[in-house]
Amino acid sequence: MAAKTVQLTPLAQETRTALPTPEAAGHLNRAQQTLRIWACREDGPIRPIRINGRLAWPVAELRRVLGVA
């Protein structure tokens, strides 16, 4: 079974305030499970927000970690 390809909007052009895990993982070049582990352990470079039990990754924090203006 092939992995699902996610079309990423460049962070500099992103208008949403938070991204779902698959998109955030794509920007960070990490596996989705890595981000989920960061969320559970609360020890990653970014802390997600939870919206109705789902993880959302703040775009401002993604930009900070990746050094995107």
Side-chain angles (χ1 to χ4, degrees), residues 25-67:
H27 282 292
L28 294 168
N29 197 26
R30 297 288 180 259
Q32 293 180 38
Q33 192 60 25
T34 300
L35 275 67
R36 291 184 189 106
I37 290 169
W38 291 348
C40 287
R41 293 182 182 169
E42 296 184 350
D43 67 351
I46 301 174
R47 293 231 175 139
I49 54 176
R50 287 174 172 81
I51 302 171
N52 293 327
R54 296 191 183 255
L55 298 175
W57 302 86
V59 172
E61 288 298 303
L62 290 166
R63 287 179 179 142
R64 179 187 60 82
V65 168
L66 295 172

